Amino acid sequence: MTMQSADYRESGLDFGRDFVFGSATASYQIEGAVREDGRGPSIWDTFSHTPGKVWNGDTGDVACDHYHRVEEDLDLMQQLGLESYRFSIAWPRIQPTGTGPANEAGLAFYDRLVDGLLARGIRPIATLYHWDLPQPLEDAGGWTSRETSFAFAEYARIVGERLGDRVQMWTTLNEPWCSAYLGYGSGAHAPGRTDGAAALAAVHHLNLAHGLAVQALREVVTNDPEFSITLNLHVVRPDGPTGAEAARRIDGLANRVFLDPMLRGTYPADVMEDTAGVTDWSFVHDGDLEQIHQPVDLIGVNYYSTVTVRMWDGTGEKVVADGHKDMGGTAWPGADDVEFLVQPGPYTAMGWNIDPSGLEDLLFSLHEQFPGTPLMVTENGAAFDDEVVDGGDGPRVHDDDRIDYLRRHFTAAHRARARGVDLRGYQVWSLMDNFEWGYGYSKRFGIVRVDYDTLERIPKDSARWYAELIRTRRIPG
Ligand code: IFM
């Protein structure tokens, strides 16, 4: 019998040969070159250039300059031994105004990226939408408009026609929860709206966009890829006698409102009831659920931390420690009376609690709810306040806290597998430090440091640790 450590700090656990170890990034967070080769403006260009929206007035104008340094970054991935690379495609590079003909230069960039990955034996995992909506589409209503869902399907078709002979795994949307609730509800993300009804309309149109895009891709790809959705599912822990009711509500808004239509073809009735005072859901048209409910080959899971909830009794100040910036609106329409309690530490530099048991619980729960649908951790990682030191032969970053975070979460993933979960791989967030949305460049998630003055890439100790895990298939000691 093997002893399992209670703190998830294990080493030597073997993931076997088939497990796919990779790393993830997103277009606006790393590419820069926002006005080059015909790229149009996105909602994140507008938002980041609006004073007061992003820490320090940071923007993605230059970011990591990946657009110009793609070859160097590909070499870096190869040096680390990555087996997969999860990147996102910038819609405004492909269709500068969100509709209309394809921009050849934009397609050519991702062509080079995909070819560069394949040439290095790295599996391309392409996300179609990681939040950079073309601004003209937002001007026409953004995700509150169903026209955006149909525009997205057209964009998916264009990308699929070009890359659909080589991309091995497609993800339609990254974290639609963030797009809908932070973009249209709390106002913390672009486009910065604070309207609960708009957020719920966005939920539906993102779901519809997913279903339409899966169909469009299936029609045009010529290889045999996997189709997936990536969700930042919330691990919701109940607190006290009212915890179960609060957890039901938050699980509904955060998880079931995406999982149920996509994987079961229904909207959860309790969520529709809970939100009846916010919207009448008339944006759901006859036939939409059939469009949304498309077979997927895999569910992508992004996991960072947990939340603990209870009902607010109306006295005292309501606690909403849900880990997101307060920009005046709410990320939880219809759940005004739910409190998000301060989580026990330790915490990352984001203030997010570190709880690897949440990952194990989440993976196991999905395995039970959707038996037969494989899973992949499409993001997991941590921001810490790294320091650069002189390592004698060059700069070094001794990010032991990040290694510890990764060790504990890889242990959680291994435990889930040992319990029968069909977990196919793990994409560490992130390959390199990058533009962390409303936090600008103040939060560093990379296993590779980016010096934002020189744009030099410096592999951190966590990158070396990860390279050893990939090489040996075992969590290093
Ligand atoms: O940086 C983000 C990423 O874009 C989406 N998932 C969470 C990460 C950390 O906040």
Side-chain angles (χ1 to χ4, degrees):
M1 200 174 108
T2 52
M3 293 290 289
Q4 294 198 337
S5 75
D7 62 8
Y8 287 78
R9 281 194 182 87
E10 297 199 17
S11 57
L13 298 177
D14 188 351
F15 282 85
R17 286 251 57 98
D18 292 341
F19 198 75
V20 182
F21 292 103
S23 189
T25 63
S27 48
Y28 190 72
Q29 294 182 272
I30 66 165
E31 286 179 0
V34 292
R35 280 175 281 276
E36 274 180 59
D37 290 343
R39 179 188 180 278
S42 80
I43 55 174
W44 269 97
D45 296 288
T46 308
F47 190 75
S48 64
H49 280 272
T50 306
K53 298 296 187 190
V54 174
W55 179 86
N56 194 40
D58 288 351
T59 73
D61 287 4
V62 177
C64 307
D65 197 34
H66 169 74
Y67 192 77
H68 297 122
R69 292 164 194 258
V70 59
E71 288 296 325
E72 180 191 341
D73 290 337
L74 284 163
D75 288 344
L76 185 58
M77 293 178 216
Q78 187 175 32
Q79 281 154 24
L80 296 179
L82 295 190
E83 296 168 328
S84 55
Y85 176 55
R86 175 175 177 251
F87 60 97
S88 81
I89 295 166
W91 187 349
R93 284 199 197 283
I94 306 301
Q95 289 176 294
T97 61
T99 54
N103 172 35
E104 173 54 32
L107 285 169
F109 172 72
Y110 296 105
D111 241 352
R112 284 200 303 279
L113 175 60
V114 169
D115 285 345
L117 289 168
L118 292 173
R120 290 165 179 81
I122 302 170
R123 175 192 299 229
I125 302 178
T127 300
L128 284 173
Y129 185 72
H130 199 127
W131 309 350
D132 34 9
L133 185 72
Q135 183 63 44
L137 290 184
E138 178 55 32
D139 298 339
W143 288 112
T144 69
S145 162
R146 62 190 282 118
E147 293 311 313
T148 302
S149 314
F150 291 95
F152 184 69
E154 191 48 37
Y155 155 65
R157 179 181 302 277
I158 291 171
V159 176
E161 278 171 351
R162 183 62 170 259
L163 304 179
D165 54 342
R166 286 157 290 157
V167 164
Q168 294 176 11
M169 181 176 148
W170 293 94
T171 293
T172 53
L173 307 171
N174 179 73
E175 302 182 353
W177 182 89
C178 294
S179 301
Y181 295 113
L182 300 183
Y184 294 84
S186 79
H189 279 191
R193 290 182 58 185
T194 53
D195 173 350
L200 291 167
V203 165
H204 177 63
H205 296 133
L206 285 153
N207 284 334
L208 183 58
H210 158 79
L212 295 172
V214 168
Q215 295 176 70
L217 285 172
R218 278 194 197 282
E219 277 173 28
V220 296
V221 300
T222 54
N223 60 352
D224 186 22
E226 292 167 311
F227 297 98
S228 69
I229 174 71
T230 280
L231 300 171
N232 58 322
L233 297 164
H234 283 54
V235 175
V236 191
R237 314 258 203 226
D239 177 79
T242 61
E245 166 65 4
R248 179 192 63 72
R249 296 225 202 157
I250 298 308
D251 175 52
L253 282 172
N255 303 332
R256 288 182 286 117
V257 82
F258 299 106
L259 288 169
D260 283 12
M262 289 180 185
L263 296 162
R264 302 187 201 279
T266 58
Y267 270 113
D270 60 323
V271 173
M272 296 178 88
E273 275 170 36
D274 291 343
T275 55
V278 181
T279 182
D280 61 7
W281 290 79
S282 55
F283 43 75
V284 182
H285 293 192
D286 284 352
D288 282 2
L289 281 158
E290 288 74 37
Q291 299 291 344
I292 297 169
H293 183 207
Q294 297 301 317
V296 289
D297 302 302
L298 192 140
I299 303 172
V301 177
N302 290 0
Y303 174 81
Y304 291 90
S305 61
T306 59
V307 293
T308 300
V309 294
R310 70 179 177 210
M311 300 307 292
W312 182 45
D313 65 8
T315 64
E317 200 174 328
K318 194 177 77 170
V319 185
V320 191
D322 66 353
H324 298 285
K325 275 175 110 175
D326 180 356
M327 295 292 272
T330 176
W332 304 105
D336 296 337
D337 41 1
V338 171
E339 280 195 309
F340 289 76
L341 305 185
V342 174
Q343 296 289 93
Y347 307 100
T348 69
M350 296 296 286
W352 298 346
N353 66 305
I354 301 173
D355 183 354
S357 73
L359 178 59
E360 183 183 352
D361 293 350
L362 175 57
L363 295 172
F364 192 71
S365 155
L366 288 167
H367 160 74
E368 287 195 311
Q369 291 178 69
F370 305 104
T373 306
L375 307 176
M376 178 178 282
V377 175
T378 37
E379 283 182 28
N380 174 253
F384 288 106
D385 296 326
D386 302 323
E387 279 178 36
V388 184
V389 297
D390 182 356
D393 56 350
R396 292 285 293 268
V397 178
H398 300 310
D399 56 340
D400 295 344
D401 34 19
R402 186 172 290 101
I403 292 174
D404 187 55
Y405 182 99
L406 292 173
R407 174 190 306 287
R408 299 182 71 197
H409 288 80
F410 272 106
T411 298
H414 195 279
R415 287 190 192 176
R417 272 163 61 94
R419 291 169 68 189
V421 175
D422 185 3
L423 180 68
R424 299 281 171 95
Y426 208 108
Q427 312 305 314
V428 169
W429 185 270
S430 179
L431 174 63
M432 61 183 115
D433 295 337
N434 58 48
F435 177 79
E436 178 52 25
W437 308 112
Y439 299 88
Y441 297 101
S442 67
K443 305 295 178 197
R444 293 178 176 271
F445 275 89
I447 54 173
V448 173
R449 183 180 177 88
V450 176
D451 179 323
Y452 292 118
D453 293 327
T454 63
L455 294 167
E456 184 191 1
R457 277 75 163 136
I458 306 165
K460 304 177 190 178
D461 287 358
S462 57
R464 297 164 201 262
W465 180 90
Y466 192 38
E468 188 181 340
L469 166 54
I470 300 172
R471 190 172 48 78
T472 63
R473 324 308 292 172
R474 291 173 187 272
I475 300 179

